[in-house]
Amino acid sequence: MKQNAHLVCINPKCGKKFEIKSTLILCDKCEFLLDVEYEKSPPTKLKDVFYQRRNPQGSIYNESGVWRFRELLNFAEIETEALEECSKHLVSLDGAEGRQSKPYQMSKVSNFVGVDNDNLLLQPEGYNPSGSFKDNGMASAVTHAKMVGAKKIICASTGNTSASAGMFAANENMECDVYIPDGQIAPGKLSQAYQFGTQMIKVKGNFDDAFTKSLDAAKDAKSYTVNSVNPFRIEGQKTIPYRALEFLDWDVPDWIVYPGGALGNISSCGKSLIELQKWGWIKKIPRIAVINAEGADTLYQLYNGKFNNENLRWNNGSPNLDLIEKYYEHMNKHDLGPKTKATAIQIGKPANIVKGLRALEFTNGCVIEVSDKEMLDGMSIVGLNGFDCEMASGATVAGIKKLLDDETMKKDDKIIGILTGRQKEPLLSIDYHNDSTNKFAIPPRT
Ligand code: F0G
């Protein structure tokens, strides 16, 4: 199926369109973020095609958990059944991105959070080739980078983005510069980025400072930003909910739960649901729950009216941007962090906040926060089920428990939780289990 696509400003009062080969991140008229928009509605009979592609019949684009759904993210405007065209345009790690990730029941987690095993499914995105959900969006972003002839990709990262970008760049023989907050990255992620040959640029400060520096650097004509403010990253990450929905025969769950950092993931989940509803693929809309770390909880503060007594909302495309700026000033003035051991989500200024608000509005979402200790328990109980996840992903489990405890979630709700990355900071698990006061610790014997 061929497709025509363009970029469009997400501000409903603006709606300016840009050609698909534009590398703008923000609208040049009103500075809102951009969306990829497709001109044709993909027909629902594609559900069968996606299912059949699980038998890949020799094609890595069917094997790929991202490109298997290529009709729903066909910004390359290709004939999707023509494999030669796919191989000319679509960037893939030999079909491995998204291939291993699908929802699983984890009985010990269900037991811990207090629901029937059938009602909770967890999707380990850490089983991507670079070890996090980022590979879903990097496959699509690097596809677009190649469409526009970029030679170098650039990102700021709390670790996983740099590992994923480095892996794709090395495979595609591109350069890759990564801006990292010095001393605040899990060693496992740092070593991946070095190993894949990225040029590391250490920034004094936190992720937010590194991100600002990386955007400045990407103004160079041959460079290309692969952070999740890039609308093409969002396209690939839509396949995370697609895989969950397909697993449920497109029978929509009640909740989809994510840890919140820069809010690219919930933005892509929101966009996927907005489109699926518009295209007539789904009727019911699941609620998105975002779980912030207590020490990096900008969205929690603003969404729940903890700052200036105002609940920040999408507000039909006119969110109170001044409130966000005021909060950032307040954060700087009072030196409020971000600070959490879950370094992946140690982010104070979520770059996708406006798209995130749109996702929350569309899905009647909610935002809560959990402590470092709760995240570590969440991470550890996932481990006891034989699945690997990192501390930030533990937020998903901790958040689900909290939302069930306070009855925001009902016991018979169907819940999908996204486990965003695998363990790349081994000392966290070692320290956890060596401290017998921890809930799930199994201390070593001598
Ligand atoms: N979980 C993990 C494991 C992450 O690495 C990230 C973000 C998130 C959750 C948050 O996702 O930003 O879409 O809300 N890591 C980025 C990075 C920022 O640079 O690797 P988000």
Side-chain angles (χ1 to χ4, degrees), residues 175-367:
E175 287 176 64
C176 178
D177 287 359
V178 300
Y179 290 71
I180 52 150
D182 197 11
Q184 297 176 30
I185 288 202
K189 299 174 186 175
L190 196 60
S191 90
Q192 282 182 295
Y194 274 117
Q195 190 154 347
F196 297 135
T198 66
Q199 175 61 59
M200 202 74 70
I201 295 118
K202 293 182 178 181
V203 177
K204 271 210 185 76
N206 55 34
F207 169 82
D208 305 316
D209 304 312
F211 181 60
T212 309
K213 289 244 161 24
S214 83
L215 286 185
D216 284 345
K219 286 186 182 138
D220 179 83
K222 288 212 161 51
S223 301
Y224 184 93
T225 300
V226 293
N227 277 104
S228 55
V229 283
N230 175 331
F232 298 91
R233 264 281 303 276
I234 300 293
E235 290 307 290
Q237 281 169 214
K238 291 190 310 191
T239 63
I240 297 170
Y242 293 162
R243 291 192 294 273
L245 288 171
E246 183 186 62
F247 187 85
L248 299 172
D249 286 330
W250 301 89
D251 196 8
V252 177
D254 296 292
W255 291 92
I256 305 185
V257 186
Y258 287 92
L263 305 178
N265 239 346
I266 64 151
S267 298
S268 58
C269 183
K271 183 171 189 267
S272 76
L273 297 169
I274 291 169
E275 287 175 340
L276 289 175
Q277 193 211 38
K278 183 172 129 199
W279 297 335
W281 288 49
I282 58 169
K283 295 224 157 43
K284 180 179 144 183
I285 307 299
R287 296 183 71 185
I288 291 179
V290 185
I291 319 301
N292 268 165
E294 276 177 6
D297 63 350
T298 299
L299 184 67
Y300 168 80
Q301 294 284 336
L302 290 171
Y303 195 74
N304 297 310
K306 306 283 176 195
F307 178 68
N308 275 10
N309 286 323
E310 182 177 338
N311 296 85
L312 181 68
R313 288 291 181 274
W314 166 246
N315 190 26
N316 295 322
S318 302
N320 185 348
L321 301 177
D322 280 347
L323 187 73
I324 304 176
E325 281 313 313
K326 278 202 191 109
Y327 183 74
Y328 292 166
E329 277 166 29
H330 164 83
M331 225 168 54
N332 287 344
K333 197 162 147 204
H334 299 281
D335 209 11
L336 291 181
K339 190 139 190 51
T340 164
K341 263 190 181 175
T343 50
I345 51 174
Q346 186 166 258
I347 293 173
K349 299 180 182 174
N352 284 295
I353 190 162
V354 173
K355 276 189 182 172
L357 291 171
R358 180 179 66 172
L360 289 165
E361 186 83 7
F362 183 71
T363 64
N364 184 26
C366 73
V367 186

Side-chain angles (χ1 to χ4, degrees), residues 64-66 68-69 96-104 106 121-138 160 164 167 192 236-245 247 256-259 265 268 382 387-390 392-394 396 416-424:
S64 164
V66 172
R68 191 155 66 75
F69 298 98
E97 58 284 334
R99 185 172 62 204
Q100 301 281 21
S101 86
K102 59 172 188 182
Y104 291 89
M106 298 187 196
L121 291 162
L122 295 164
Q123 185 161 311
E125 289 295 324
Y127 293 178
N128 268 289
S130 82
S132 83
F133 73 92
K134 307 283 178 181
D135 294 344
N136 293 285
M138 209 54 75
N160 281 322
S164 181
M167 183 178 263
Q192 282 182 295
Q237 281 169 214
K238 291 190 310 191
T239 63
I240 297 170
Y242 293 162
R243 291 192 294 273
L245 288 171
F247 187 85
I256 305 185
V257 186
Y258 287 92
N265 239 346
S268 58
V382 168
F387 287 87
D388 186 6
C389 80
E390 70 167 81
S393 311
T396 294
I416 301 273
I418 310 299
L419 303 174
T420 43
R422 73 164 180 252
Q423 183 61 277
K424 299 183 187 178

